[in-house]
Amino acid sequence: MTKAFSCPVCCDIFGDPVLLSCSHSVCRTCLQQFWETKGSQECPVCRRRSSKSDPPCNRALKNLCETFLESRSQRASSWSEVLCSLHKEKLKLFCLEDQQPVCVVCHLSKAHKNHNCCPIDEANKLKISLERLQQNLKALEEVKQTCDKTAAHIKCQAQHTERQIKEEFEKLHQFLRDEESARIAALKEEEEQKSHMMRRKIEEMNGEIESLSDKIRNLQKEIESSAGGATFPQTKDRTVQHTPKEPEKVSALLINVAKHLSSLKFRVWENMQKILQYTPVTLDPNTAHPHLHLSDDLTTVEHRPQTSLLPDHPERFEVYPCVLGSEGFNSGTHCWDVDVGGSEYWALGVIRESESRKGSSVWSSVWSLCYSKSSDEYWISCPGQADHVLTPTEKLQRVRVQLDWNRGKVTFTDLITSSHLHTITHTFTDTVFPIIYSYSSPVRLLPAKISVMIENQSVVC
């Protein structure tokens, strides 16, 4: 109940709430301090620019907060100041059996004569202890509910992830089946072509053999019917005249086995690149604000008004619609490209791993490039520094974020024009994670180009 009356910045009951143009309410003092720190007039909750330097008071919320504080104060009044309605005596005792305050005369009366009573001060202490125990019980029940939701969510996550894994492997299996079919079809086609050539060659050879056999039989008959050597020379001349040529041997009639089997696995893997994608940074759904929806491949984030029924845990953002990359960096150089497209409110950059994701102070540990359509401005946001406004020549569509952790640099580049936008310098001391802030249309991480390099090794004898 108190959360509805609490300021998102100081987390205390509103004293003087003001209403911003984005419909969020903040304490006036907290808002002024936030604006002084950031150097710009933006909402601490959604980071939209405020159109008014002196927002109006949210009187309805202020009245509700005052009523809430008054009722809480009345409930805290002590029993010891109340008189017994029957005997006009102070209620100094508390009947443990009837669970009500009584005076000394009531204790001696028939109504409470045999009941166990204790001094009202002790009863107040017991009441306080009881209230604390009840609060602890309520807190434990809330934690248990969260644990129950988390257990159910874990099961849903496992089932959904298993289904996605099977779908991805089915795509790979189908690709391999198609590759196998295509290669076997090519083998069968070559077999048919060369078998056909061999059948034609065999038919030709059979014809020649039959013709030659006939000639041999005819010659044998002429030789047998010859009465003497007078006719033999003529037969000999005819034999020499019809002597067949030596048959030609045909090459390249065997199956080209090497063509079908040479580096088969590598050739299949090389073709597989057509269906593969590699994204240097993917998103962690466990950190996504409840209003954010991630694509199945964890590369696209979209802001949706309806809240997802997700368990609350320390990793998830509570105030800002943000999501982190799935991997943190504490050394080396890393680069990822983001398509911001038609998004109206977005921010790209890195955040310290140690930063809490529950309060409104999250942005005090983010180094980022931001955009707001309402003000049509781009600006660089750094912890402890005033915002630095950028004026790119064209509207940004695709942005490259490059982190050089060792040198302490975060560089932003316009991918369309290949122009340098800004470089943030900072000495990083702990792990940082990629962060995306999205408050409208989808923001998508782009895949990197995949290339295969074959290294030739020279052998020295």
Side-chain angles (χ1 to χ4, degrees):
M1 180 66 177
T2 57
K3 188 175 181 180
F5 301 130
S6 300
C7 171
V9 177
C10 64
C11 300
D12 201 357
I13 303 298
F14 283 110
D16 184 15
V18 294
L19 182 64
L20 298 175
S21 56
C22 58
S23 300
H24 290 120
S25 294
V26 188
C27 287
R28 188 181 298 276
T29 303
C30 296
L31 182 65
Q32 294 300 330
Q33 292 176 351
F34 182 81
W35 283 359
E36 290 176 2
T37 302
K38 296 296 294 182
S40 61
Q41 296 180 359
E42 60 185 41
C43 173
V45 179
C46 67
R47 295 187 64 80
R48 288 191 184 183
R49 293 300 177 93
S50 175
S51 58
K52 299 179 180 179
S53 59
D54 187 18
C57 176
N58 191 340
R59 297 192 181 278
L61 180 59
K62 183 177 181 181
N63 293 337
L64 287 173
C65 292
E66 290 176 352
T67 304
F68 173 76
L69 292 173
E70 184 179 353
S71 62
R72 189 171 67 176
S73 176
Q74 290 176 354
R75 289 195 302 270
S77 61
S78 174
W79 286 336
S80 60
E81 300 299 326
V82 181
L83 297 178
C84 176
S85 60
L86 295 177
H87 309 104
K88 306 304 179 185
E89 296 286 339
K90 287 186 176 182
L91 300 175
K92 295 183 177 181
L93 300 175
F94 186 81
C95 179
L96 298 177
E97 297 189 23
D98 293 331
Q99 289 292 304
Q100 66 181 39
V102 297
C103 67
V104 177
V105 179
C106 289
H107 177 53
L108 298 175
S109 65
K110 288 184 178 181
H112 302 280
K113 186 175 183 180
N114 297 322
H115 293 176
N116 292 326
C117 295
C118 68
I120 195 72
D121 293 340
E122 293 183 10
N124 284 333
K125 292 179 181 178
L126 290 174
K127 180 186 176 185
I128 294 173
S129 299
L130 176 62
E131 290 177 350
R132 289 177 179 174
L133 290 175
Q134 290 174 337
Q135 291 175 356
N136 290 339
L137 177 61
K138 184 179 180 181
L140 286 173
E141 289 175 346
E142 291 176 353
V143 172
K144 182 181 179 300
Q145 289 179 356
T146 302
C147 290
D148 291 339
K149 291 181 181 179
T150 302
H153 185 62
I154 289 172
K155 187 174 182 180
C156 292
Q157 276 187 313
Q159 293 174 347
H160 182 67
T161 304
E162 180 181 355
R163 183 168 61 254
Q164 287 181 272
I165 290 174
K166 289 182 177 179
E167 290 175 357
E168 291 300 316
F169 270 93
E170 177 56 30
K171 293 177 183 177
L172 295 176
H173 294 159
Q174 186 59 47
F175 172 83
L176 292 175
R177 286 193 291 266
D178 293 342
E179 278 286 315
E180 179 186 11
S181 299
R183 292 176 183 276
I184 290 178
L187 174 62
K188 294 294 184 183
E189 182 181 0
E190 183 180 358
E191 178 191 12
E192 180 62 28
Q193 291 176 352
K194 294 190 173 179
S195 296
H196 179 68
M197 292 173 60
M198 286 305 302
R199 285 194 296 269
R200 288 177 55 189
K201 186 65 178 176
I202 291 172
E203 290 176 358
E204 292 176 1
M205 296 297 295
N206 287 335
E208 292 181 6
I209 290 173
E210 185 177 354
S211 175
L212 187 58
S213 298
D214 291 341
K215 292 178 181 179
I216 291 174
R217 284 193 296 271
N218 293 333
L219 288 173
Q220 287 177 342
K221 289 179 180 180
E222 290 183 11
I223 293 172
E224 292 174 356
S225 62
S226 173
T231 59
F232 186 75
Q234 298 178 358
T235 303
K236 182 178 180 181
D237 293 340
R238 191 166 60 252
T239 302
V240 173
Q241 182 180 0
H242 294 284
T243 300
K245 297 180 180 179
E246 186 74 18
E248 296 180 359
K249 294 182 179 180
V250 182
S251 59
L253 283 177
L254 298 179
I255 296 293
N256 190 350
V257 177
K259 182 184 75 172
H260 298 285
L261 295 181
S262 179
S263 302
L264 177 60
K265 296 184 181 69
F266 175 80
R267 300 304 177 193
V268 172
W269 175 76
E270 194 174 30
N271 289 339
M272 190 180 291
Q273 294 180 65
K274 300 173 183 177
I275 66 168
L276 297 181
Q277 282 191 345
Y278 170 71
T279 308
V281 170
T282 55
L283 304 175
D284 182 1
N286 294 333
T287 65
H289 185 277
H291 288 179
L292 296 181
H293 174 77
L294 304 187
S295 60
D296 287 341
D297 61 358
L298 305 180
T299 61
T300 303
V301 55
E302 181 180 4
H303 185 276
R304 296 182 179 178
Q306 60 270 29
T307 302
S308 303
L309 298 177
L310 300 173
D312 185 25
H313 53 85
E315 291 85 0
R316 192 176 303 284
F317 284 95
E318 182 182 51
V319 177
Y320 294 107
C322 296
V323 61
L324 298 186
S326 58
E327 181 182 358
F329 308 120
N330 55 16
S331 64
T333 301
H334 310 274
C335 178
W336 56 97
D337 300 336
V338 187
D339 185 349
V340 293
S343 182
E344 299 177 354
Y345 303 95
W346 53 264
L348 312 172
V350 296
I351 183 176
R352 277 199 294 256
E353 179 184 22
S354 57
E355 180 61 37
S356 172
R357 298 160 199 174
K358 295 303 179 185
S360 58
S361 62
V362 172
W363 228 251
S364 62
S365 295
V366 178
W367 294 265
S368 62
L369 167 64
C370 312
Y371 172 72
S372 171
K373 183 180 179 180
S374 59
S375 60
D376 194 23
E377 284 185 352
Y378 298 91
W379 69 94
I380 296 294
S381 177
C382 296
Q385 301 180 20
D387 292 343
H388 174 69
V389 178
L390 299 179
T391 55
T393 56
E394 298 180 5
K395 183 178 179 180
L396 299 180
Q397 298 289 330
R398 297 187 173 188
V399 178
R400 170 167 293 173
V401 184
Q402 184 169 350
L403 167 69
D404 190 337
W405 194 94
N406 296 333
R407 295 184 178 181
K409 293 182 178 181
V410 181
T411 302
F412 301 97
T413 306
D414 183 354
L415 276 182
I416 304 298
T417 62
S418 299
S419 57
H420 172 263
L421 297 172
H422 190 82
T423 296
I424 299 173
T425 56
H426 177 79
T427 302
F428 297 108
T429 57
D430 54 0
T431 302
V432 295
F433 278 79
I435 184 173
I436 293 179
Y437 172 101
S438 176
Y439 201 71
S440 57
S441 302
V443 173
R444 182 169 63 96
L445 290 158
L446 300 174
K449 292 183 179 179
I450 303 175
S451 61
V452 179
M453 184 179 67
I454 303 175
E455 183 178 352
N456 293 322
Q457 297 180 352
S458 57
V459 180
V460 180
C461 299

